[in-house]
Each structure stands twice: as structure tokens, then as C-alpha cells.
Amino acid sequence: DGLRKANPNFDVSVSADFLQARIADATRRASKQGSVKTKHLNLWVQARSAWMNMEAWQRCADELAPEQFAGEACVVGVDLASRVDIASRVQVFTQTDEEGRIHYYAVDHHYIPEETLVDTNIDQLATWVREGWITATEGNEIDFQTIESDLVQLSSEFQINEIAYDPWQATQLAQDLQAEGANAVEMRNTVGNFSPAMKELEAAVVSGRFHHTGSPVLTWMISNVVAKEDAKENIYPRKERPERKIDGAVALIMAMARAMILDPNPTSPWEDPDFTMGA
């Protein structure tokens, strides 16, 4: 009865099966909840809503170790949003299972200036530095040389097909990496670049095709991401407040976007022109 009241065209232009499918999709995918509530349940919601189903995300923790992927191909996403804040890098490896489904494996690491670490009101950052999830670089700005050296070291341990970067802060780093022989690829932070990767990441998490290290830093940053759909159902990562960092999530999405383009598997749904992400 509630569905009939909220949908005047119930069983005319909107079927019960369609509504149930939309509600089931929203139950699994947090980014769909706002749209379903406003369009089909006649409920007012805030303009932005949580993006990721965090229960599903937690189930994807596989305690991966980089050593498991020694010599394998990967894509790296690098987010250097600010020299005085957190910077992130995320490696994404892909494998295809027996059913032809693509699985993604993410290994993350982060950087912060020591002086920012002293001044921050985010208590867990110091703990994560001690645990090795974050590297604190000397001074009041992130030492990009440290990040460059780490990426060069990674290139000797893995086959890095691409390093995706946003030119806003990383142009010099990209030039230095290219001089070292790395394939640094500019990727601007636009809706067109991010939305397909966010949708694929969300779908992969819900379906169990995504795997991460259990990193508390990346988990915190993923939980901070909010998303608002536009009229074409595109989404883009945002944060509600400055202290809710999303740098690792942005780096992951960048790597996912490039991995989706580079993966040659012909069974990938993104190579099917008739494929759509849900109803």
C-alpha cells in the first residue's frame, strides 16, 4: 500500500517488479538510496548520500600483501591533492575468474608531512604511521621525492603498466617518473573519468569481485566519500567536511578507471555496448 501511495502511476508506468528491483538495488548499493527514496518512496533526503556499502566493503578485506603479486602487472593511481595534507597511492591488480568475471585487488599506501601530523586533530593518523600504513615525511610539506623513489622501487618489483595522476599537483612528479622510464598518464578529475570507475568499483564490492588489504586508512577514506547523482546518473567523489579525507579513495578510483581501460579481457562488461549498471 505504501508503494502505491508514493507512486501514483503504480502498475501503469511503474510496475511492482520494477520498484522491488530498484529497492533491492538500493539496499545493496548505498549510492542508489537517495534516488530511490526521493523518486519512489516520497521521502526527503539530503542532497548528498553515502556512496559505499561499508558492510560489503569490510567483507572484501583479504589481508593482501604486496609480495603476493611480485612481478605481476598493475596500474597505480596517485592523488597528490595538497602538499601539506595526505597524499595517496593505490596499486590495482586484475585477475579473471573461471566465470570470466574481472576481480580487482587493491594495495594502498599514504604520505603525510610530519608537521601536519603534529597539528592534526585526527588522532588515528599517528597510529597509522606507527603501523606502517602512512609514511610521515620530514617538514611541513610532503616530500614528493619520497613518493617518486617509492614508485621507482615498485616498478622494480611489479610490472607497472601505468601511473595515473591528476596534473593539478603532480606534473613535475610525472615528468620525473617519465624520465625514469615510467608510463605516467594524466587523468583529470572529471565526472566523465570517475563515474564509470566508481560504479564498477561499487558493483565489484557488492558482488565480491573486489579485494583489499584491510587497510584502516583506505577504509576510513572510502567511508568518507559521498556522491550525488546528476540527471544522467553520473556520480563523483566528494567529502562533506575538510577533515574527512578521501585521497586514497580518489587514487583507487583513478587506478580502477585505467585498469578498466587496459584490461584486455573480452568478457569485461564494459566492452559490451548493451551493458548498463542496474535498472
Side-chain angles (χ1 to χ4, degrees):
D1 290 342
L3 284 177
R4 288 182 180 275
K5 291 180 180 179
N7 295 271
N9 286 335
F10 189 88
D11 274 344
V12 179
S13 61
V14 180
S15 69
D17 289 344
F18 171 81
L19 288 174
Q20 293 297 341
R22 294 282 287 188
I23 291 171
D25 192 30
T27 300
R28 295 181 297 113
R29 300 168 58 192
S31 64
K32 289 289 184 181
Q33 292 176 7
S35 174
V36 169
K37 286 179 179 178
T38 55
K39 294 179 180 178
H40 302 298
L41 299 181
N42 197 28
L43 296 174
W44 181 89
V45 297
Q46 292 182 337
R48 295 178 181 175
S49 59
W51 168 49
M52 183 59 68
N53 179 329
M54 293 308 297
E55 290 184 7
W57 173 269
Q58 295 284 13
R59 290 195 296 269
C60 293
D62 279 353
E63 298 185 357
L64 305 176
E67 300 78 38
Q68 296 174 237
F69 303 96
E72 294 191 18
C74 67
V75 176
V76 180
V78 179
D79 182 62
L80 308 176
S82 170
R83 282 184 174 271
V84 298
D85 209 335
I86 298 175
S88 299
R89 75 161 199 260
V90 179
Q91 294 169 263
V92 170
F93 303 83
T94 59
Q95 294 179 2
T96 305
D97 64 21
E98 295 178 353
E99 299 176 1
R101 303 186 311 159
I102 299 175
H103 287 244
Y104 304 91
Y105 300 81
V107 179
D108 61 296
H109 193 72
H110 312 268
Y111 303 84
I112 192 171
E114 285 183 343
E115 292 189 18
T116 299
L117 186 64
V118 171
D119 295 337
T120 185
N121 59 0
I122 306 173
D123 296 335
Q124 63 265 45
L125 290 180
T127 299
W128 293 335
V129 169
R130 290 194 298 271
E131 293 175 348
W133 298 105
I134 304 175
T135 295
T137 65
E138 186 176 352
N140 59 4
E141 291 187 350
I142 288 176
D143 180 6
F144 283 6
Q145 183 63 49
T146 298
I147 299 176
E148 179 186 339
S149 297
D150 285 357
L151 289 170
V152 171
Q153 178 61 36
L154 287 179
S155 69
S156 69
E157 301 171 3
F158 309 95
Q159 178 188 328
I160 299 179
N161 290 334
E162 287 187 355
I163 299 174
Y165 70 95
D166 178 1
W168 171 248
Q169 289 281 358
T171 300
Q172 184 60 53
L173 176 64
Q175 291 174 353
D176 293 343
L177 288 169
Q178 287 168 344
E180 295 280 353
N183 184 20
V185 178
E186 179 180 304
M187 182 179 175
R188 296 186 181 276
N189 292 355
T190 65
V191 172
N193 283 337
F194 276 38
S195 185
M198 289 181 70
K199 291 182 178 181
E200 171 67 344
L201 175 55
E202 187 179 11
V205 166
V206 170
S207 64
R209 295 186 294 109
F210 183 81
H211 314 266
H212 60 84
T213 63
S215 162
V217 185
L218 186 58
T219 297
W220 171 61
M221 290 178 172
I222 287 288
S223 73
N224 290 336
V225 176
V226 296
K228 178 184 177 183
E229 285 191 349
D230 64 18
K232 296 181 180 180
E233 296 192 347
N234 294 310
I235 54 178
Y236 185 85
R238 296 174 174 84
K239 56 187 176 184
E240 289 185 322
R241 296 199 295 270
E243 67 271 18
R244 295 189 175 182
K245 309 302 180 185
I246 64 171
D247 309 77
V250 170
L252 171 58
I253 294 163
M254 293 170 70
M256 284 282 297
R258 297 308 303 172
M260 288 163 58
I261 292 171
L262 291 174
D263 197 305
N265 181 2
T267 63
S268 169
W270 294 100
E271 296 189 13
D272 179 356
D274 296 324
F275 176 78
T276 56
M277 287 293 296

